[in-house]
Amino acid sequence: MSIGFLRQALHALQQQSRSRTSYRVNQWFKWLSPGLSIKRWLLISVGGVLLAILGLAIWVKLTPIFWMLELIRGFLGAIANILPNYISGPLVILGGLLLLLWGQTRTVGSITQVLRPADAEEELIDVLLAHRRLYRGPKIVVIGGGTGLSTLLRGLKTYSANITAIVTVADDGGSSGRLRQEFGVLPPGDIRNCLAALADEEKLLTELFQYRFRAGDGLTGHSFGNLFLTAMSEITGDLEQAVAASSKVLAVRGQVLPATLSDVRLWADLADGRRIEGESSIPKAGGKIVKIGCFPANPPALPAAIKAIKEADYIIIGPGSLYTSLIPNLLVTEIADAIAETQAPRIYVCNIMTQPGETQGYTVADHIRAIDNACGQRQLFDAVLVHKKSPSAQSLIRYAQQNSHPVFFDREAVSQLGRRVVLANVLYEDETGFVRHNPQKLARVLLKWYGGTHHGK
């Protein structure tokens, strides 16, 4: 019994050793993957060594090199006398390759120890391969605001690092509204959420950025990120520079840009004749929105945002609150013009549920018409992504109590508006019945549709 146990233990150790060896060999060969430029620099290094030896030989008129070569020739001749050349030759080649492999392995190991944090779970080569894949991803521009945009960004950042989020600055409620009123800065809340969503797994810094004070005179309700961005805006001179500096701190994949640096204030005309001013006041008014605009009219776009749209491979609008997160970006006429002129595929991600005070009773076609009307009856997107499956009964009951219901998909009306439809299950429900888009599923569907349109050209 004890002998059998020892055999099993020995077999397990052998398997573990083989597995570890196989893993290390596999990791080393990853360094020779295409695109990392390791092989070319390795060959250049070897060539440099040979060239340096040749130069030295020329410089000293070959005198010491000649005798060294004679010594080597004699040594190799002695080996050839003992072993045939078809055995000794491959052995010497193998020995040279082993020395080269050993040297390069130790070099890579030393570099890895310096560059890879002690608590990192991924190997350095895996990080480099992921970096290469992400930075070869498509140039994606996402337009919106609120939690919908940050949710989408969490999924997209696993497919590309070339992401630009263009974010509304019309928010005037909560912490952002207080900072806007007290300091005269542009509201940082939506931008903060997008920065946190695109942060490259900097968990502690992201949690700090999203931390909201629960006590303290004047601090209650403020998030650290909002205060940080406000302070950086004061130091750097504007929100664009503040966001750029914060992006470096958080190791953000891509960039986050405000749609405009103007102090924008929304207004909405309701069906009952009222005009409501202020982003946070519009949903609370409880009326049907017939027209929306902003002060000042036609605010200038951030040049970097226009540049990103013109260079984009793919443009995504939404998800998010229709009138207070998405359309405010499109009220910046230069942004709407740039989207209309681009040849890149464009898609709108429709909300799953209606929003009281904004889209109560709206169908998918109603959402599309609202965007078209706000942009002068222009079609700014080619397709619309619609969630396919109805939420659970628990969620439906919860939302019905707030006068919110699933957005009805009126297929024929959408078709008449000239939009293609992408139907997919992209919903996430938590244990309380709260509904939102699933970041990974949503990003996967969007990239699959982009791949289809891209290869179809």
Side-chain angles (χ1 to χ4, degrees):
M1 187 70 178
S2 60
I3 295 177
F5 175 78
L6 288 175
R7 285 178 177 173
Q8 289 180 356
L10 181 61
H11 179 71
L13 287 173
Q14 289 174 339
Q15 290 290 103
Q16 186 177 6
S17 176
R18 289 195 198 101
S19 177
R20 191 182 298 113
T21 302
S22 175
Y23 172 78
R24 297 309 307 174
V25 170
N26 182 53
Q27 290 297 110
W28 196 91
F29 274 105
K30 283 183 180 180
W31 287 96
L32 303 180
S33 300
L36 284 179
S37 302
I38 298 296
K39 299 186 295 296
R40 74 186 67 169
W41 299 122
L42 182 62
L43 290 174
I44 288 174
S45 299
V46 173
V49 171
L50 295 176
L51 193 62
I53 293 173
L54 179 61
L56 182 63
I58 295 172
W59 190 12
V60 299
K61 299 180 180 180
L62 297 176
T63 304
I65 302 297
F66 173 77
W67 293 110
M68 186 180 296
L69 292 175
E70 286 295 311
L71 180 63
I72 293 172
R73 188 181 351 180
F75 176 71
L76 293 177
I79 292 177
N81 288 332
I82 299 172
L83 293 173
N85 61 345
Y86 60 85
I87 296 178
S88 58
L91 283 176
V92 173
I93 292 173
L94 180 62
L97 290 176
L98 287 175
L99 286 175
L100 181 62
L101 180 65
W102 182 45
Q104 291 299 315
T105 303
R106 298 299 297 174
T107 301
V108 169
S110 300
I111 295 172
T112 301
Q113 285 182 345
V114 174
L115 297 181
R116 180 171 168 262
D119 58 346
E121 296 181 0
E122 287 185 292
E123 294 284 348
L124 178 60
I125 179 57
D126 294 323
V127 173
L128 291 175
L129 287 170
H131 181 276
R132 177 175 65 94
R133 176 181 60 83
L134 290 172
Y135 279 87
R136 287 186 173 185
K139 295 179 181 178
I140 305 173
V141 171
V142 187
I143 300 167
T147 57
L149 181 58
S150 57
T151 296
L152 172 58
L153 294 176
R154 287 189 186 93
L156 286 179
K157 74 176 183 180
T158 61
Y159 291 91
S160 177
N162 302 312
I163 301 171
T164 298
I166 299 176
V167 187
T168 177
V169 287
D171 187 11
D172 62 3
S175 171
S176 291
R178 288 164 56 192
L179 292 170
R180 182 176 184 176
Q181 185 176 7
E182 294 172 14
F183 292 91
V185 297
L186 293 177
D190 286 349
I191 291 174
R192 180 199 83 242
N193 286 329
C194 291
L195 287 172
L198 287 175
D200 189 12
E201 304 303 329
E202 298 290 339
K203 189 173 185 297
L204 182 60
L205 283 175
T206 303
E207 289 179 358
L208 174 64
F209 217 63
Q210 294 287 65
Y211 175 78
R212 195 172 293 276
F213 293 94
R214 298 180 180 85
D217 188 19
L219 286 176
T220 305
H222 282 305
S223 71
F224 175 83
N226 283 359
L227 297 176
F228 183 85
L229 284 169
T230 299
M232 288 299 294
S233 295
E234 293 286 318
I235 293 170
T236 60
D238 61 48
L239 185 60
E240 181 184 8
Q241 298 301 319
V243 172
S246 302
S247 298
K248 294 179 182 178
V249 172
L250 293 171
V252 164
R253 291 183 190 173
Q255 60 178 344
V256 180
L257 301 174
T260 177
L261 294 180
S262 295
D263 186 14
V264 173
R265 185 172 177 82
L266 289 182
W267 57 262
D269 289 338
L270 306 184
D272 58 13
R274 287 180 294 161
R275 170 166 285 197
I276 308 299
E277 295 186 7
E279 177 269 342
S280 60
S281 301
I282 292 173
K284 297 176 183 177
K288 180 177 176 58
I289 299 170
V290 295
K291 188 176 182 181
I292 192 162
C294 66
F295 301 117
N298 301 322
L302 192 73
I306 300 302
K307 182 175 183 289
I309 293 172
K310 289 181 177 179
E311 295 177 353
D313 298 318
Y314 188 20
I315 294 176
I316 303 169
I317 301 173
S321 299
L322 180 63
Y323 286 106
T324 55
S325 291
L326 304 188
I327 290 179
N329 293 290
L330 306 177
L331 294 177
V332 181
T333 307
E334 292 174 279
I335 287 180
D337 291 344
I339 297 172
E341 293 168 4
T342 184
Q343 298 300 310
R346 303 161 300 177
I347 191 169
Y348 163 55
V349 181
C350 191
N351 292 338
I352 298 173
M353 307 296 292
T354 61
Q355 187 172 352
E358 285 199 41
T359 57
Q360 189 173 334
Y362 272 39
T363 65
V364 173
D366 290 330
H367 282 75
I368 296 172
R369 290 190 195 98
I371 296 175
D372 290 350
N373 292 339
C375 304
Q377 299 299 326
R378 290 183 295 178
Q379 294 191 6
L380 297 190
F381 51 91
D382 315 299
V384 56
L385 190 152
V386 181
H387 177 64
K388 188 176 183 180
K389 188 178 179 182
S390 176
S392 68
Q394 178 190 7
S395 294
L396 293 176
I397 294 171
R398 170 185 171 166
Y399 278 86
Q401 292 171 348
Q402 303 168 10
N403 207 14
S404 176
H405 306 278
V407 176
F408 176 70
F409 175 38
D410 44 349
R411 183 186 294 271
E412 187 175 342
V414 172
S415 179
Q416 289 175 357
L417 290 171
R419 281 6 188 257
R420 284 173 279 170
V421 176
V422 179
L423 271 176
N425 292 319
V426 290
L427 176 143
Y428 168 78
E429 292 183 56
D430 65 17
E431 60 278 1
T432 66
F434 180 73
V435 169
R436 63 176 179 269
H437 285 94
N438 180 293
Q440 287 72 36
K441 290 182 179 179
L442 180 58
R444 191 182 309 121
V445 170
L446 287 169
L447 267 295
K448 183 178 180 181
W449 182 79
Y450 165 75
T453 59
H454 185 66
H455 294 302
K457 290 184 178 181

